[in-house]
Amino acid sequence: MKIVFATNNAHKLREVARELGDSYTLLTPRDCGVTEDIPENEPTLEGNALAKARYIRSRTGLDCFADDTGLEVDALGGEPGVRSARYATDGHDDEANKRLLLERMASVDDRSARFRTAIALIAGDEEILFEGVVRGAISREEMGSNGFGYDPIFIPEGFDRSFAQMTDDEKNAVSHRGRAVRKLVDYLRKR
Ligand code: ITT
């Protein structure tokens, strides 16, 4: 069965494809001729995930889902949160985002944080939201080079390695996105 994952992020696509398995053919917006940026201007992760999924639905008519993710740092009152992609600049500058976060945390002892993913699925005439959360801590410096985004500075609870020091499978087993996608897969299987 075909389903569109409304993302332009190749790393997300790879992580999700591993969890989704062979029953689904995962299409990207580009595969469906949608090459423009998908707007995400909502104040919540759930709102953005729904907006992205609805956009792709209206352009393709196909069943689809979207993921919006934020890193929520306790000592910063939940920042960068929904603004995670545009924390340091208007664009997706991962290096600047990590640098700014480490700077803001330089003299902060409480390193606790969580990654949160909201997935919005549009299947048939249903719209459903799934959430995945992983708690952890912001490291003092970058560790590892796998993954993407804030992975080198996030150490999931129960580990002494960052997400960027894990394989895709290790990360998926405990990550925000892995947890949300497994709920999505469960739902799709039962449908
Ligand atoms: P979309 O096309 O799916 O919107 P995106 O990269 O814009 O891709 P988000 O808005 O969900 O995705 O990402 C918000 C920010 O959080 C962005 O800076 C990402 O690099 C970062 N991020 C998202 N998931 C992450 C993960 O699993 N590990 C580390 N950083 C992540």
Side-chain angles (χ1 to χ4, degrees), residues 34-51:
V34 180
T35 53
E36 68 273 21
D37 274 348
I38 306 171
E40 36 184 321
N41 302 317
E42 300 301 320
T44 62
L45 298 178
E46 286 76 8
N48 275 333
L50 261 176

Side-chain angles (χ1 to χ4, degrees), residues 38-99:
I38 306 171
E40 36 184 321
N41 302 317
E42 300 301 320
T44 62
L45 298 178
E46 286 76 8
N48 275 333
L50 261 176
K52 289 190 261 188
R54 285 176 181 158
Y55 187 89
I56 289 300
R57 174 56 163 245
S58 71
R59 292 282 271 103
T60 68
L62 295 170
D63 286 355
C64 61
F65 63 93
D67 155 323
D68 202 46
T69 295
L71 176 59
E72 301 173 342
V73 180
D74 291 353
L76 302 177
E79 287 278 294
V82 72
R83 296 179 47 247
S84 293
R86 287 153 282 141
Y87 190 40
T89 69
D90 265 355
H92 281 66
D93 188 338
D94 285 351
E95 293 308 317
N97 286 339
K98 283 181 291 187
R99 215 177 315 123

Side-chain angles (χ1 to χ4, degrees), residues 24 121-123 126-130 180-191:
Y24 286 88
L121 168 71
I122 303 182
E126 293 178 307
E127 291 186 335
I128 305 113
L129 286 166
F130 305 93
V181 173
R182 283 190 289 277
K183 290 181 190 173
L184 167 75
V185 168
D186 239 36
Y187 181 87
L188 289 172
R189 282 217 181 98
K190 288 182 186 143
R191 230 173 137 248

